Amino acid sequence: MAISPSELIFLEGTVSSVIYRNEENGYTILRLDTPDGDEVTVVGTMPGISPGEGLSVHGQWKRHSTYGEQLQAEIVERRLPVGEKALVEYLASGAVKGVGAVTARRLVDAFGEDVLSIIEDSPHRLTEIKGITPKRAETIRQSLCMQLSMRRLLDFLSAHGLPLQIGMPLYRRFGEMALTAVKADPYLLVDDPFFVPFPSADKLALDLGIEADDPLRLEAGLLYTLAHNLDNGHVFLPYAKLLAAAGRLLRAEPETLTGCLDALLDRQKVIREDIAGQDACYLAKLYDCETYVARQLLRMDGEPLCPPDDLDKLIDRIQRDQGITYAPLQVEAVKTAAQRQVMLLTGGPGTGKTTSLRGILALFDHLGLRTSLTAPTGRAAKRLSETCGAEAATIHRLLETRYDSASGGLSFAHNERDPLDTDAVILDEASMVDIVLMQALLAALPGGCRLVLVGDPHQLPSVGPGNLLSDLLRSQRLPTLRLTEIFRQAAASAIIRGARAVDQGECPVLVNDPAGDFFFLRRLNPESAVETIVELCRTRLPKNMGISPDQIQVLSPTRKGTAGTASLNRALQAAVNPPSPDKAEKAYGPALYRVGDRVMQVKNNYDVMWEETQGSGVGMGIFNGDIGRVEAIDLHSGVVTVDFDGHRAEYTPDMMNQLEPAYAITVHKAQGSEYRAVILSAVEAAPMLLTRGVLYTAMTRAKELLILVGDDQVVARMAANDRQQRRYSGLRARLAKG
């Protein structure tokens, strides 16, 4: 719940020094001199602030364990420096490019307290100062105008209770016209990369005098409804459902929205088409993504390849080199990869997908093809690299994310204009890929590039829009190899037998074999389940099986409740990473973070800079699902350093809402990962979370050991519940039509 200004502490004063500033997001720690002679530490998002400026701050006192009380700024109003001393300090602080200490003194001596208006409105007069050329005068003017534009923008955001963190992204996109753009269309704030909640943007619009029935508002509500439902997996919404949902959001009758929807259709911001038996309404971008994916895959399928004349001998040689004899379906998979530009390879655990992948990769090597291995998440890419013995990258890193100055967001360096330098791409965990990312990957493939899509269709679908792998398989349009035989070595695993039973709608056998790899510990009380899970991680598995807590991943279908991830994380942190004098710790929101903690990135952030822990490489982007470990916490600045599998990134306090403790994570977040040991909290939760797909996905994350802790009736209900939320997607129909 937002806090009103009347409930906040109010202070005003002059900035005496800036202790810390993150140039990317504007997070700042500064000293404020108050009129009564006190010096106060203020922390918060205050981009571009400099010594000499006046501030009025509404905030809350926070006590720092080392540095005492600090004012956490919620609302900030900036005032231009007043008086010659403050003006010199401001100009000499580096805030205005092209002005140092000497020049600042000369400018103030020459123009007095009018110096800022002279710079802004009459920059030619600056050439009266020795050493300032017309070019340098223009540089000084542009720099000051940026500062003043940012100041006005932040004052506006602050006055309307909007997050100051969006100031920098707004300025990057619109420059000096940022404030004008927001006033003209407050609803642009709900879009990427600002993501202001629609009610907040709507309140701003109404405050600015936009009427409730203004087409700008109604159209924005329709577009937001379509965009919001992408998070529910829908690529489109049926016409009637779109009108009904937008009507609820806007508190408007659906009939009043039809004219605005027609206007959006006329301007092709929304595309309407009969597809998959639905009167479908798409955001234009999603329509383009879906039709592009279908068109490209069909084109690739329509261009069969000429296999080498000695294909059978080549496969025999690969088998000899690998010291293995392929099963018939595995041989068929390698042959298909030799003859088709695009193919699907599917199968559950123990069916030989990894062996088939190695064979396909070896085939491509023998054919002299440069092959790129990729997967949706860092964990999945790392596992693919380990199983194939070759380097793999996430799709985002393969395509190389970069800042797009035109949109103010991020784009990929590799696309149709600059394709990947590769001859073949093997994509693992294809069930996790949404339609937008698939479009970006296909766009970056050079002509003639081969594509092998690998995945398990019984796992949970992507978090983003679409149901890619399922749609591809059900269309029956692309060459597909389904591996079904469970090999003898895999069949000895109770984990694999149990997962296969669940896949067929049966409850796994919950009888414990001391020599087995799958155990069930019956705990009907959620509190008892948590106690058992903690004891397993802290003592029993490390002591009895030599599995350290670092190699154990606790999973739960839900975040909430006694045995949900939030509660489990608190209990597990206390057990496996307890407080210690040599471990810095700091609270951010509801969570306490400590050096050594396991954490997870919970949203894609293309702006985060990282550097390699081993080597000198640097890059950008930490992505949803990446797991790291807290390496350091600077108690003075609040900056947290996290090591993500060799990529070290720094998080300022305002970025900490992008991290969560990860001793326990939801099953959805575990997709694409594999752990030496998995413990699943199998207790009561919302029925929509207790499904076969959740149970199957959780079980197949375990490599060596799986332990279910909870209620056997819950496990049985999950295995029997094959209900899946319907996702509106037209890809299957487009492929089937050919």
Side-chain angles (χ1 to χ4, degrees), residues 382-638:
K382 184 176 181 181
R383 183 158 60 93
L384 179 62
S385 179
E386 291 169 349
T387 56
C388 289
E391 183 179 355
T394 64
I395 301 173
H396 290 88
R397 291 203 171 103
L398 179 69
L399 300 181
E400 296 183 29
T401 55
R402 65 181 182 183
Y403 176 70
D404 185 347
S405 58
S407 68
L410 275 292
S411 63
F412 294 115
H414 293 292
N415 48 41
E416 288 180 318
R417 294 182 300 278
D418 183 13
L420 293 163
D421 186 18
T422 191
D423 301 309
V425 171
I426 296 176
L427 168 60
D428 198 11
E429 299 289 354
S431 64
M432 297 180 64
V433 180
D434 64 38
I435 195 72
V436 177
L437 192 55
M438 188 64 189
Q439 186 274 334
L441 178 62
L442 289 173
L445 299 185
C449 183
R450 306 177 192 223
L451 177 63
V452 179
L453 298 165
V454 186
D456 185 341
H458 303 295
Q459 290 186 28
L460 295 169
S462 62
V463 174
N467 204 359
L468 179 74
L469 184 60
S470 177
D471 282 351
L472 296 181
L473 292 170
R474 290 186 300 140
S475 74
Q476 299 183 1
R477 189 63 177 80
L478 302 179
T480 302
L481 266 295
R482 291 180 172 86
L483 303 176
T484 56
E485 177 187 355
I486 295 183
F487 291 92
R488 184 168 57 187
Q489 182 178 0
S493 166
I495 296 174
I496 291 178
R497 295 198 305 272
R500 189 174 181 86
V502 169
D503 183 36
Q504 296 172 350
E506 303 169 1
C507 183
V509 177
L510 302 178
V511 177
N512 295 330
D513 178 357
D517 57 3
F518 177 20
F519 297 89
F520 173 71
L521 302 179
R522 192 168 187 257
R523 302 291 187 272
L524 302 183
N525 183 294
E527 289 81 5
S528 298
V530 172
E531 291 176 5
T532 299
I533 290 170
V534 169
E535 190 59 25
L536 286 166
C537 294
R538 177 172 54 195
T539 307
R540 291 169 63 176
L541 295 187
K543 181 178 178 181
N544 300 331
M545 303 191 70
I547 301 176
S548 71
D550 289 347
Q551 299 170 311
I552 304 167
Q553 184 60 63
V554 177
L555 303 179
S556 172
T558 181
R559 299 167 57 90
K560 301 177 180 179
T562 303
T565 58
S567 176
L568 282 165
N569 271 309
R570 289 191 292 270
L572 289 165
Q573 181 193 48
V576 303
N577 189 31
S580 170
D582 61 347
K583 293 179 185 175
E585 61 180 47
K586 187 171 175 62
Y588 294 93
L592 176 73
Y593 293 89
R594 184 175 296 135
V595 170
D597 278 343
R598 185 190 305 172
V599 294
M600 172 181 279
Q601 177 80 10
V602 294
K603 63 176 288 188
N604 288 339
N605 188 332
Y606 306 97
D607 287 327
V608 176
M609 297 289 298
W610 51 260
E611 61 179 7
E612 294 177 347
T613 55
Q614 302 292 329
S616 57
V618 296
M620 290 182 66
I622 302 293
F623 304 109
N624 189 3
D626 286 355
I627 287 183
R629 189 162 300 278
V630 175
E631 189 177 83
I633 300 176
D634 186 325
L635 294 177
H636 182 51
S637 67

Side-chain angles (χ1 to χ4, degrees), residues 43 126 203 355 357 407 422 466 478 486 537 593 603 641 695 702 714 718:
V43 300
L126 303 187
K203 181 180 182 303
T355 298
L357 268 183
S407 68
T422 191
L478 302 179
I486 295 183
C537 294
Y593 293 89
K603 63 176 288 188
T641 304
L695 180 58
V714 169
M718 292 179 77

Side-chain angles (χ1 to χ4, degrees), residues 13 27 67 142 181 188 232 407 497 504 548 556 561 605 717 721:
Y27 181 81
Y67 300 100
Q142 290 179 0
L188 65 84
N232 296 324
S407 68
R497 295 198 305 272
Q504 296 172 350
S548 71
S556 172
N605 188 332
R717 289 207 312 274
N721 180 12

Side-chain angles (χ1 to χ4, degrees), residues 50-68:
S50 299
E53 292 191 57
L55 288 188
S56 295
V57 182
H58 289 86
Q60 299 182 73
W61 288 115
K62 302 287 186 181
R63 176 161 289 278
H64 193 285
S65 58
T66 303
Y67 300 100

Side-chain angles (χ1 to χ4, degrees), residues 45 47 150 153-154 157 163-172 178:
T45 301
M150 178 63 77
L153 175 62
L154 293 179
L157 296 176
L164 299 181
Q165 292 93 326
I166 67 174
M168 289 298 286
L170 277 169
Y171 194 87
R172 284 200 294 262

